[in-house]
Amino acid sequence: MIRATISLAALLAATPALAQDRDDIIVTALGIEQPRDEVGQAVTVIDEQTIVTRQTVSVADLLATTPGVRFNRADAVGGVTGVSIRGAETTQTLVLVDGVKINDPSGIGDGYDFGNLLTGNVRRIEVLRGSNSVVYGSQAIGGVVNIMTGEPAQGFGGSASLDYGYADTLNAKADVSGSSGIASGGVGVAYFRTDGISAAVNGTEKDGYENVATNAKLKLAFSDNFSLDLRGYYIHADLDTDIFFGAPMESSDVSKLDQYIGYAGLNLSLFDGKLTNRAAVTWFRNDRDYYFMRGTAPDYGYSGTNLRFEYEGVYQPADPVKLVLGYEHERPDYAFFGFGSDASARVNIDSVYALAVVKPFAGLSLTGGVRHDDHSQFGGATTFGANANYTPNEGRTNVRASYGEGFKAPSLFQLYDSFNGNAALQPETSKSYDVGFDQSLDGGRATFSVTAFRRDIHDQIYFDGFILPFGQYINLTRTRAKGVEAAVTLRPVEALTVTAAYSYIDAKDRSEGGLNEGKLLPRRAKDVVSMSADYRWSFGLSTGATVTMVGDSFNDAANTQRLDGYALVGVRASLPITENLEVYGRIDNLFDEEYATVYGYSTYGRSAYGGVRVRF
């Protein structure tokens, strides 16, 4: 890993590279569309072409090649999967799907399980790194992952694909969209099933998985100034897994999930477009049932719901000034049944925020804001944030700096669980700093981006298993993460694209006098390098490869259980048969590397897949 790091450092030093095209639009920084050279925060965009080219099934696997991102998966495909940004807890990553906050109120820490989120009909992903609670409130301590499905096509269009491979895996998806008159919209469906592998590393029985996902969008533009947006997303997942008692053991356990996501919003533009208004209701529900044996009634389960009302107004009295004002009300609740216990809880959170974007002179953009959240359990939390972006040459060079505060309310599970809850918990808080620059050369043929960061978290919630009788959640841990992120994109000729990303993250427990003071936080490798290259041959064939190298880490907070580093290589190819028909295939883990992201759980060895894609 040290050699790989030095090699990449040499590449960065020797290669002129650039940031993304200055005309790129970023949504996640403020929740509204912004030119990239107006954004002072670190944001990575995974676009539709990258998603199609990589042929990756899981969103988490796609995110793993993003600077600053680490992930762990307990089980094979479909197993519980957490995504960490810049060394934060996986529960401190805020996740959006088509503008809807989908962190699970019934989860242990309100975290989102990426295990059931497949690429399916996903068309774009934005990853914002750094605390950003001014815009998003609770959870946005490590950063934000914003998942977007496709926008409706002009006229009428669609696509479909079907591939098959290792472990009797079938992956199919289709979508259609179009517009007519005042209406535009689309629907999509994705289906995935596999016989899988044993979840327990020493098991022999295969644990299968099935996932069905559907999404829909409808926009009615009643006039140039007034429109209605409706969006929906649904996931059903069914997973065979192995029971966990200290280490996973082979069993007949089954988990099932039904996830519902809904959005209804009105958009109104006034005063010749100087004032835009958005009022929306969003709804998220996550039902999880667990069975000791398939075919029986569920033995225990969780249900989490979050109903939100949002208002956002954007006022731009002049080109150099933009004001963003917002109000949100959300009502998360959760319910649990099983083991002779039934529990439920609900809280109310009211939030107001204000931000300003000011451009005092050409090339400089300054953003600052404040937010106050009032939580019915623990009271109020106020957060601040500011960032700046300066470009002296119309976006070819961007110098960025940002400061962000974050907070995370204790989850309803942590507050009110019958066995482990603690109603006296206080919110986690963070302060995040970063500085970086992006450089573009040769008309966009090379891009280069480097960012240095630091984040301190106070009152991190910790599970103390020594508190009788069952253990309890308490505020104890202080943590600090610091590091460097770098990314390169090269297009020396039109047919070739080469990308590389490296991140160094030093994330440690800083609890004074604590048992784990100075220890590395679990499952967060210090070094990760990824490199991808794709080439389109003159006769239409596209070939590519991705190499990902992950350093050593520890599975536990005491740093006694080591997870060895690993290197994965994947290769891929696609060939158009006609203008609308294409065949494609890939081999994952080409060299059959043995590795684990969670101790005791299996991962796939070498596996091959092939399929066909049509467009119309």
Side-chain angles (χ1 to χ4, degrees):
M1 179 56 67
I2 292 174
R3 288 195 299 270
T5 302
I6 293 173
S7 297
L8 182 62
L11 171 67
L12 297 182
T15 307
L18 78 152
Q20 276 82 358
D21 188 313
R22 65 187 178 89
D23 295 325
D24 276 359
I25 298 298
I26 302 298
V27 176
T28 309
L30 281 185
I32 60 174
E33 292 187 353
Q34 288 181 280
R36 180 178 284 274
D37 57 15
E38 189 178 282
V39 177
Q41 296 159 296
V43 181
T44 296
V45 175
I46 304 174
D47 61 18
E48 181 176 2
Q49 185 57 52
T50 301
I51 295 170
V52 172
T53 299
R54 296 278 181 88
Q55 302 180 31
T56 306
V57 170
S58 168
V59 168
D61 289 327
L62 196 61
L63 293 172
T65 59
T66 301
V69 172
R70 308 287 189 264
F71 88 99
N72 57 77
R73 180 159 49 219
D75 213 329
V77 178
V80 175
T81 304
V83 169
S84 167
I85 300 177
R86 288 184 172 174
E89 297 296 309
T90 58
T91 57
Q92 295 166 343
T93 300
L94 184 126
V95 187
L96 307 170
V97 167
D98 283 338
V100 180
K101 181 179 175 180
I102 60 171
N103 289 65
D104 182 9
S106 69
I108 288 178
D110 283 348
Y112 181 73
D113 176 10
F114 279 83
N116 299 303
L117 186 60
L118 308 185
T119 52
N121 292 305
V122 173
R123 294 293 179 266
R124 180 182 173 95
I125 303 173
E126 293 185 4
V127 182
L128 182 147
R129 305 186 297 279
S131 301
N132 197 25
S133 283
V134 172
V135 177
Y136 294 105
S138 184
Q139 267 101 38
I141 283 182
V144 181
V145 176
N146 191 358
I147 311 291
M148 307 173 200
T149 57
E151 290 298 319
Q154 294 294 324
F156 179 76
S159 65
S161 66
L162 175 70
D163 56 70
Y164 179 82
Y166 176 78
D168 198 22
T169 298
L170 178 68
N171 183 28
K173 50 195 172 186
D175 66 87
V176 294
S177 66
S179 59
S180 177
I182 68 168
S184 60
V187 296
V189 61
Y191 175 76
F192 178 90
R193 70 157 304 280
T194 182
D195 287 347
I197 58 177
S198 172
V201 71
N202 294 318
T204 58
E205 180 188 32
K206 292 183 177 180
D207 293 309
Y209 177 63
E210 183 179 56
N211 182 298
V212 179
T214 61
N215 65 285
K217 285 185 176 181
L218 175 64
K219 182 173 183 177
L220 300 175
F222 302 108
S223 70
D224 292 340
N225 301 323
F226 183 55
S227 63
L228 169 68
D229 277 332
L230 301 174
R231 308 167 197 162
Y233 202 104
Y234 169 73
I235 299 174
H236 171 77
D238 185 319
L239 173 70
D240 294 319
T241 188
D242 288 331
I243 197 167
F244 178 85
F245 283 114
M249 298 180 295
E250 198 160 80
S251 71
S252 58
D253 284 47
V254 174
S255 68
K256 295 184 180 182
L257 170 137
D258 287 287
Q259 188 172 109
Y260 310 85
I261 302 169
Y263 176 97
L266 290 171
N267 307 287
L268 177 64
S269 175
L270 299 172
F271 309 123
D272 295 325
K274 291 183 177 180
L275 174 64
T276 60
N277 303 271
R278 181 180 63 87
V281 175
T282 75
W283 183 69
F284 171 76
R285 182 179 177 92
N286 210 45
D287 293 328
R288 296 177 288 135
D289 291 326
Y290 298 88
Y291 307 75
F292 296 143
M293 183 172 293
R294 186 176 293 279
T296 64
D299 294 282
Y300 63 102
Y302 301 85
S303 180
T305 304
N306 195 1
L307 178 65
R308 293 168 57 89
F309 168 78
E310 306 171 345
Y311 167 77
E312 181 181 69
V314 181
Y315 180 54
Q316 190 164 7
D319 288 341
V321 179
K322 185 184 301 178
L323 304 175
V324 182
L325 304 173
Y327 165 76
E328 298 172 359
H329 172 80
E330 64 179 299
R331 191 187 66 188
D333 64 72
Y334 101 112
F336 165 79
F337 72 88
F339 310 113
S341 173
D342 290 286
S344 62
R346 174 183 298 171
V347 296
N348 289 278
I349 305 173
D350 289 281
S351 310
V352 292
Y353 61 90
L355 299 107
V357 181
V358 180
K359 298 178 180 179
F361 55 84
L364 178 64
S365 179
L366 304 174
T367 301
V370 60
R371 180 187 183 103
H372 182 77
D373 295 87
D374 185 67
H375 192 285
S376 61
Q377 170 62 33
F378 61 76
T382 301
T383 50
F384 299 89
N387 63 80
N389 187 317
Y390 175 65
T391 173
N393 50 20
E394 298 182 339
R396 293 186 297 278
T397 303
N398 285 276
V399 180
R400 301 175 277 103
S402 74
Y403 167 75
E405 296 181 353
F407 92 99
K408 181 185 176 300
S411 72
L412 293 172
F413 182 94
Q414 292 166 334
L415 287 167
Y416 302 119
D417 177 67
S418 303
F419 302 102
N420 310 121
N422 178 3
L425 287 172
Q426 294 299 304
E428 302 169 330
T429 60
S430 70
K431 294 182 179 180
S432 177
Y433 318 80
D434 68 35
V435 60
F437 74 92
D438 312 316
Q439 180 63 51
S440 168
L441 293 175
D442 196 18
R445 289 186 179 274
T447 64
F448 176 34
S449 176
V450 173
T451 306
F453 68 88
R454 171 177 159 172
R455 184 192 57 252
D456 293 293
I457 299 178
H458 295 269
D459 291 323
Q460 186 156 304
I461 296 172
Y462 170 79
F463 180 73
D464 190 337
F466 294 101
I467 298 177
L468 297 176
F470 304 112
Q472 191 177 61
Y473 289 96
I474 61 174
N475 288 105
L476 175 65
T477 309
R478 295 185 178 186
T479 67
R480 172 176 295 169
K482 57 185 178 180
V484 178
E485 304 158 342
V488 172
T489 300
L490 301 175
R491 300 182 182 90
V493 294
E494 189 67 27
L496 176 64
T497 300
V498 179
T499 63
Y502 168 72
S503 57
Y504 169 81
I505 298 175
D506 181 27
K508 291 182 178 178
D509 188 328
R510 296 289 183 180
S511 301
E512 295 182 5
L515 291 175
N516 299 319
E517 183 181 4
K519 303 280 181 70
L520 294 172
L521 297 180
R523 301 174 187 166
R524 270 151 280 195
K526 280 190 173 183
D527 296 285
V528 173
V529 179
S530 69
M531 303 179 189
S532 294
D534 289 278
Y535 186 79
R536 181 175 293 276
W537 301 82
S538 59
F539 56 95
L541 174 68
S542 293
T543 54
T546 295
V547 180
T548 302
M549 295 175 284
V550 179
D552 295 345
S553 62
F554 293 96
N555 190 66
D556 61 329
N559 290 183
T560 60
Q561 210 168 49
R562 180 178 292 275
L563 293 170
D564 292 333
Y566 56 91
L568 300 178
V569 178
V571 295
R572 54 189 173 266
S574 63
L575 177 66
I577 305 302
T578 68
E579 183 179 352
N580 298 318
L581 177 65
E582 180 181 38
V583 294
Y584 61 92
R586 72 183 190 278
I587 302 175
D588 295 335
N589 196 358
L590 180 65
F591 297 108
D592 206 23
E593 178 88 344
E594 293 185 8
Y595 70 102
T597 60
V598 178
Y599 185 81
Y601 282 99
S602 296
T603 53
Y604 275 62
R606 184 187 300 112
S607 51
Y609 310 86
V612 61
R613 181 183 296 116
V614 296
R615 302 180 183 89
F616 57 90

